[in-house]
Each structure stands twice: as structure tokens, then as C-alpha cells.
Amino acid sequence: MKKRTLVISSILLMVFIGMQISSCSSQRAMIANKTGAQLWAENCQRCHTTPSPNTFNDQQWEAVGMHMQIRANLTPEEIAKVVEFLQSANQD
Amino acid sequence: MKIFYPNHLIRVLGLSLCLLVLSLNSWGQDQNPPAPVQTQTQTQRNEQRIAQKGPETKFLLTGYGYTGFEKVGSENSTFGPAGFSPIFLWKKSDRLFFESEVEFEIEDGNLNIGLEYATLHYRLNKYLTLSGGKFLSPFGIFQERLHPAWINKFAEKPMGFSEEGAMIGPMTEFGASLRGGAQIGLSKVNYVLYVSNGPTLNTGSSNPMDAGRLDYNNLGDNNNNKAIGGRFGFLPFSSSWLEIGLSGQVAGVGNSGSAFQNVKTQMYAADLSIIKKVNFIKSNVDIKAQYNYVQTSKTNYLDTAGNSYTFNNTSTAWFSQIAIRPMFLEKSFLKNVEFTGRYSVLKTPQESYWAIDNSQVAMGINYWLKWNSVIKVNYQLTYSKGEQTEPGLFIQWGLGF
Amino acid sequence: MKKSILILPALLFVFIGYSFHTSQQGRWIAPASADQLSNPYKGNTWAAGAGKKIFNVQCAACHGEQGKGDGIVAVSLTPPPANLQSAFTKTESDGAIYWKITAGNAPMPSYKLALKDPERWQLVTYIRELQNK
């Protein structure tokens, strides 16, 4: 019984993923146009309070970015935007 | 097929993972979004500033520290636990990265020092990172993402998620992993697949009272059968407010060549994470939950009198927690206050010497001094079957840096 | 014995009370020269609409969708993000707001490179619209 539920739910999941893949280009554009500020606000708080952009210098943010990309399995596009945003708060 | 074996789940998970990675690799080619001209200037500016500052390596010494005070049941009150966990991060290039956490903790009158993790990472492509070393178990979300004192909403870890009582599910792995994340339409998926030494069965040879327990200390292995595990996470909505995860691990746990060499453990976990702004209470609401199930195959042990006995070796631990922070109130100190509640349950085999059937309610108030500094005051009640309810008061100050 | 335990929570509350200041330290003031700059889109509803789109993706995380300084990350920031509907911001000139967006003031980033010149003026136009709502 449980096995059947599992099979059915995995099929549903695959169908859902298929639907997502073929989703329309305006949605893709919406995702592609997300800013670093948005992604910073949405993703950091999934686990911890959001860090202030003036916490680290540019090099340190690079290390933090890679650490968090791996830990939270963020996409490279997401983390690149977030790190760039955080660095842009460091004045020259 | 009257019993549902979690290793089916793991096979299905593993297979879907492989399919997914394969399909993504071909599909992902056209996915590079064109970089907007204007932001590229910002990128160039940042790169230039970094280049000016000297050597290529981007290094950061970070981590967290905490201290506290507790009064549990009829025990004497005490300061502690307290700890210091420095984390070292080295980004050698866009592909190569090393991270390590060293742990110093004073708990129950002892100072424990440990290497929490030390992992080398190599980014193979945009969807996969290959890692090796000692790493936090991607088994659910608590150990990997939520356990640090400045992140955990409570002073104590949930029952079954720390060495106290019984540990149900691993904390770290020693092995290798492949992991990554991908955007699929509006949703996101993330995945980890790993091979590691895995847990060891305590056969009770040194202390019959521990027979059947799993030892998650994994620095060496007692057999050639490596643990295989993984987690699959799914974030259906574009603003990432919901994540659902499924994890599994199968491992041979008995010493090779012993009577226990065929003993295997199957475990799985389900996790849930919700973070959402709720307008009518002007608050951010954070809900986390995880269910762990660990089953070791039935085998014979010797009891304290030397007679053979056996039991169904299945343990479960789960928690669900909520944290509400009215951060959208105007000019009120309540902005920095967080109200928390957690319910957790721990059940170990009732026929074993280490039988536990506990549930626990924890309530708390957290005060955030800064984004990375929190003072937690918790009151908790632990209910044990056939015993008196045990109250506990905990105060903890955590700082991430 | 029990009383000694009560000292700790008491200490804690004293400490928290002490640490809670509504810190109104030095305001961030744009230079007087900024007031000379004139908004090419003043009162232009199209520009306000364009500004709204930019505002929601670049500014709302900290300043909030209504600009009240209550975005989802606002509590992490010191100094806190400005309330763009406050009496003070209303008295600022368009040029001063444009100058602040351009210069930034940590933890607020500079948008000199992230946004084009007209985009920053569109933002100013939208902020004015928010204030007049």
C-alpha cells in the first residue's frame, strides 16, 4: 500500500517538475530578473536572521557566499547576485 | 511486501536524482540568463576592488560562541553549556573551497574538543559540487542547517537530536558527497548524495545496557559496507517560503567477520520549513519540523545475565517548532522579541535496556540584540512514561560572528 | 536558593532594558548642492509606474513595500532603513533623495552602478507618489 503511495507521489512529482520545465518564458524572466536584494531577503532568513551588508568586506563576502551556496544548495546565479549586492554596500 | 523498507525510498530518491541531474545537464545549457549590462558594471567594480586588495585567496574566520545557565528537575542549577566554535573558510578559486569548524564545548562539567567538520569542495559545474572530508549530515535540516546556537531558536536541541538520552540519526558523515541546486521554472530543487563510513552497531560487548544502540562516531569504519544516503529538497514557490525535504541512509553497521556482520540500518527523515510574513499579527513566522526514523535489523544480543534476547530495533524522534517575531511593529522593542514554542518526541525500542518514551514541550522568549546575537529564555517540560514530569529553565546567549 | 535563580532573569531584563535605545543618532543629510538637481520626471505618472517596479525589487526588502522602513530585513540593519513616508523625508528635495540613492550609506548600498541615472529619478518620482497616497 505504502509503496503504491510512494510510486504515485513520485509520478506526481515528476509531472509537476515537467510542468515547471515547460512553464512560460515570462516566469523564467521573472526569476532571471530577481535582484540580489530580493534573493538576500528571501533566502538567508530560511535558516538564520539576515546578515547586514556591512558585516564583512568584499573578500570575506566571497568566502561566505561559497560557504552558504554549498550549505543551502543555492544556485550559482542566486549566490552571485546576493554576494554582489552585499559587496555593493561597502563604500570605496 | 508487508513491510515498507526505507531503502526503496532511497533507491527511488537516488534514481530520480540521477535522472534529474542528467536532464538538467542537457536542459541547462540555455539557462544562463543574459547578464544585464548595468549590473555587470557593478560586478566589474567589485572584482576590481578585490583584485586591488592583494592575494587571490578569500579567507574568513567566523563561527559562533554561546554561554548559558540551566536548572533542570531536581539537579543543581549550573552555568553552561558554553562553547566556542570557530569556522574557517578559504575560497581558493571559483571552484575550490575549504571549510572547517572546530568545536570547544563545556557541558556537564567536561570540556569537549572536536573537529565538527573539515571539508574540501570542488565545483564541477553549475549543478554539482563534489565534496570530501568530514561534513554535517544532510539528513533532514536540523544538524546541517539549524544546530548552531545563534540559529537554533531554543537553548536546547530537540530530543533525539543530541547525545542527551539517545541520538536518532547522524550528526556528521565522514566520506564524500555530490550536491547542488537548480531552478526549475518557478520552483527550486536541491539534492545531496553521499557515501560515508556510517554508524556502528553497539553490540553490548563492553556494556550490555547499550546493546543495539548506534554509535555515530564515524572516524573509522568497522566494515567495508559504506553508508549511502541523500536528501532531496523541494521549494515549490518562487519566493522560497516553503521547503519540503526527504532524506534517507542505508548502512551496514555490524563488525565485518562478526556475528553481526549482516546487521543493517535504514533510516529516513522528512523535513519541513516555512518562513512567512503574516500581516495581521505584523510578524514573521518561522516553522520548522523534522521527523527521523531509524531501523536496525533484528538480531540477538546478550542480556546482563548472559542470556540471548532480541527486540525490534526501531527508534523515532521528531520535533515541530514555531517562532513568531513581531518585526513589523512600528517603533516597539517587541520588534526584537521572538516568541517560540516546540514540541518534540523521542521513542527508542521499548524492549531494549535503553528504552525511552519521552515527549517535551518547550516555550521561550528570545531577545535579539543584533542580527547575530540572541538571548534565549526557555521553560520546558519533559514527560517520561511512568515518571514525574521534569521541568527545566534555560537561559542562553548566542553570538554568530 | 530559589531566589538566587530569580536574580538571573532580573539581571537579564535590566540588561535588555539598558540595551534598548531608540538611537536617533546623527541624521544622514544630503549636501546642499543636491537640492539644485531637478527631477526630469516630476509628477510623471509613467515614470512613477516604472519607479514602482524598480522599488519593489531593489528597495522593498529593507524599506518595505509602502516605504515605511519596515521591510523583512529591516530589523537586521543599523542604522535602520529610513521611513520614506516620514515627515523628514517629505521635507527633503527630490535632488536630495536622488543623491542618497546614488551615494548609499552603509548598510545601504550605492546604486550608482546598479541603476541607470533615469531609473534613479523614476524611483524618486515613485517615492513622492507613495508619500502622497
Side-chain angles (χ1 to χ4, degrees):
Chain A
M1 265 313 278
K2 277 191 173 175
K3 196 179 169 187
R4 183 185 288 175
T5 332
L6 186 73
V7 170
I8 291 170
S9 49
S10 20
I11 290 171
L12 281 176
L13 185 71
M14 286 299 176
V15 170
F16 185 79
I17 289 174
M19 278 163 60
Q20 290 285 330
I21 289 174
S22 57
S23 64
C24 65
S25 57
S26 70
Q27 291 178 337
R28 275 198 205 179
M30 190 272 267
I31 296 290
N33 291 334
K34 280 208 177 197
T35 62
Q38 273 179 301
L39 292 165
W40 162 68
E42 286 170 2
N43 286 290
C44 305
Q45 63 161 5
R46 282 166 47 201
C47 298
H48 54 75
T49 38
T50 310
S52 170
N54 55 356
T55 311
F56 297 117
N57 69 31
D58 291 1
Q59 285 101 320
Q60 291 171 334
W61 277 128
E62 292 276 329
V64 171
M66 197 132 180
H67 174 56
M68 289 325 305
Q69 191 217 329
I70 292 167
R71 181 60 44 87
N73 297 314
L74 301 171
T75 66
E77 289 86 359
E78 284 176 323
I79 200 67
K81 287 181 189 176
V82 172
V83 168
E84 180 173 306
F85 167 76
L86 293 167
Q87 289 171 334
S88 71
N90 287 328
Q91 307 283 324
D92 284 310
Chain B
M1 289 311 291
K2 60 181 192 294
I3 308 169
F4 165 61
Y5 285 110
N7 60 352
H8 286 139
L9 175 78
I10 289 155
R11 275 181 206 143
V12 171
L13 262 177
L15 195 67
S16 5
L17 203 68
C18 295
L19 283 173
L20 190 72
V21 170
L22 285 175
S23 61
L24 285 177
N25 253 334
S26 52
W27 174 74
Q29 304 308 328
D30 63 336
Q31 271 310 89
N32 273 322
V37 183
Q38 204 60 28
T39 33
Q40 208 168 19
T41 352
Q42 181 74 56
T43 313
Q44 283 166 351
R45 167 186 173 262
N46 291 348
E47 279 170 358
Q48 202 180 357
R49 276 197 317 188
I50 285 171
Q52 282 166 0
K53 282 183 183 156
E56 194 50 33
T57 301
K58 288 110 184 176
F59 169 73
L60 178 64
L61 175 56
T62 177
Y64 61 96
Y66 55 97
T67 186
F69 177 85
E70 63 180 44
K71 166 76 183 144
V72 183
S74 54
E75 287 169 36
N76 293 327
S77 62
T78 175
F79 281 94
F84 168 49
S85 296
I87 296 175
F88 303 80
L89 310 174
W90 280 273
K91 183 178 176 181
K92 297 300 289 179
S93 73
D94 284 341
R95 289 183 183 276
L96 192 58
F97 181 67
F98 179 80
E99 58 179 350
S100 180
E101 179 182 327
V102 184
E103 184 190 45
F104 301 86
E105 190 184 38
I106 299 168
E107 196 178 22
D108 302 326
N110 297 309
L111 170 64
N112 306 314
I113 299 173
L115 182 63
E116 184 106 326
Y117 57 82
T119 327
L120 264 158
H121 301 276
Y122 188 79
R123 192 186 280 166
L124 296 173
N125 61 42
K126 59 187 285 200
Y127 299 117
L128 285 175
T129 298
L130 174 69
S131 312
K134 189 167 189 264
F135 53 94
L136 294 170
S137 299
F139 185 74
I141 48 174
F142 187 82
Q143 305 298 8
E144 198 183 33
R145 302 181 185 174
L146 307 177
H147 84 271
W150 75 278
I151 298 176
N152 188 3
K153 301 286 187 196
F154 297 82
E156 290 267 280
K157 291 176 180 173
M159 285 192 307
F161 290 78
S162 73
E163 297 290 353
E164 228 167 282
M167 183 100 170
I168 308 303
M171 165 103 196
T172 58
E173 305 295 332
F174 189 27
S177 78
L178 271 175
R179 65 190 302 154
Q183 185 85 45
I184 300 179
L186 291 180
S187 308
K188 281 193 292 183
V189 292
N190 56 72
Y191 36 83
V192 192
L193 203 61
Y194 60 87
V195 183
S196 67
N197 279 345
T200 301
L201 180 72
N202 188 325
T203 59
S205 54
S206 53
N207 181 1
M209 303 296 281
D210 288 331
R213 274 185 193 261
L214 288 180
D215 180 358
Y216 293 99
N217 178 355
N218 46 28
L219 301 182
D221 204 352
N222 58 334
N223 53 42
N224 284 318
N225 184 328
K226 301 298 117 182
I228 297 174
R231 178 178 178 277
F232 181 80
F234 182 50
L235 294 97
F237 303 105
S238 65
S239 63
S240 303
W241 66 267
L242 171 70
E243 180 174 3
I244 301 161
L246 283 177
S247 321
Q249 188 186 114
V250 283
V253 292
N255 286 343
S256 48
S258 76
F260 300 96
Q261 66 173 346
N262 292 323
V263 178
K264 285 188 168 53
T265 288
Q266 300 151 342
M267 44 186 140
Y268 64 87
D271 59 77
L272 172 77
S273 174
I274 293 172
I275 180 119
K276 209 146 173 42
K277 179 179 178 181
V278 179
N279 282 323
F280 78 96
I281 46 170
K282 292 192 179 292
S283 298
N284 226 23
V285 174
D286 183 340
I287 295 171
K288 300 272 190 300
Q290 183 174 333
Y291 174 85
N292 286 2
Y293 172 98
V294 176
Q295 187 196 47
T296 303
S297 41
K298 210 169 171 176
T299 186
N300 293 313
Y301 306 98
L302 293 178
D303 67 13
T304 43
N307 301 318
S308 178
Y309 75 110
T310 187
F311 56 88
N312 280 324
N313 197 346
T314 301
S315 302
T316 53
W318 64 271
F319 73 90
S320 56
Q321 67 179 48
I322 186 166
I324 299 170
R325 183 172 174 186
M327 57 165 73
F328 306 109
L329 288 172
E330 261 177 68
K331 288 192 179 175
S332 160
F333 87 100
L334 281 174
K335 270 182 174 195
N336 298 323
V337 176
E338 192 171 45
F339 302 93
T340 59
R342 180 179 72 195
Y343 183 65
S344 60
V345 173
L346 167 63
K347 257 189 186 151
T348 58
Q350 294 307 298
E351 299 83 15
S352 71
Y353 284 115
W354 41 287
I356 301 175
D357 188 353
N358 284 4
S359 60
Q360 186 184 77
V361 177
M363 287 156 292
I365 293 180
N366 298 340
Y367 185 81
W368 290 88
L369 295 160
K370 267 194 91 188
W371 69 269
N372 52 356
S373 177
V374 61
I375 294 175
K376 312 173 210 174
V377 180
N378 290 168
Y379 181 72
Q380 72 184 30
L381 292 167
T382 309
Y383 307 95
S384 314
K385 212 175 179 181
E387 279 176 53
Q388 265 199 323
T389 303
E390 185 188 69
L393 173 73
F394 301 84
I395 299 171
Q396 189 184 55
W397 184 5
L399 174 66
F401 40 82
Chain C
M1 192 204 87
K2 284 255 167 182
K3 275 179 195 158
S4 67
I5 289 172
L6 289 176
I7 291 174
L8 272 162
L11 265 176
L12 209 70
F13 282 111
V14 170
F15 176 57
I16 287 170
Y18 177 75
S19 70
F20 180 70
H21 301 288
T22 38
S23 49
Q24 284 286 335
Q25 359 93 295
R27 267 218 165 98
W28 182 29
I29 311 275
S33 59
D35 296 333
Q36 308 306 316
L37 303 167
S38 76
N39 182 355
Y41 298 113
K42 205 170 181 72
N44 181 327
T45 41
W46 171 84
K52 181 179 181 175
K53 280 184 190 152
I54 301 166
F55 187 90
N56 286 341
V57 298
Q58 296 281 8
C59 315
C62 302
H63 293 281
E65 292 210 348
Q66 298 303 312
K68 288 183 178 169
D70 60 352
I72 53 174
V73 291
V75 288
S76 290
L77 308 171
T78 327
N83 177 351
L84 305 174
Q85 304 218 25
S86 67
F88 173 76
T89 314
K90 282 180 182 170
T91 63
E92 284 183 297
S93 67
D94 282 11
I97 297 173
Y98 167 85
W99 181 88
K100 286 186 171 183
I101 297 169
T102 310
N105 181 30
M108 174 169 161
S110 147
Y111 286 88
K112 193 177 178 178
L113 299 172
L115 295 174
K116 293 183 196 111
D117 197 56
E119 290 176 320
R120 276 172 273 147
W121 283 115
Q122 287 158 11
L123 269 180
V124 174
T125 314
Y126 177 61
I127 290 166
R128 286 289 179 237
E129 191 185 272
L130 274 178
Q131 290 171 345
N132 294 331
K133 258 184 188 169

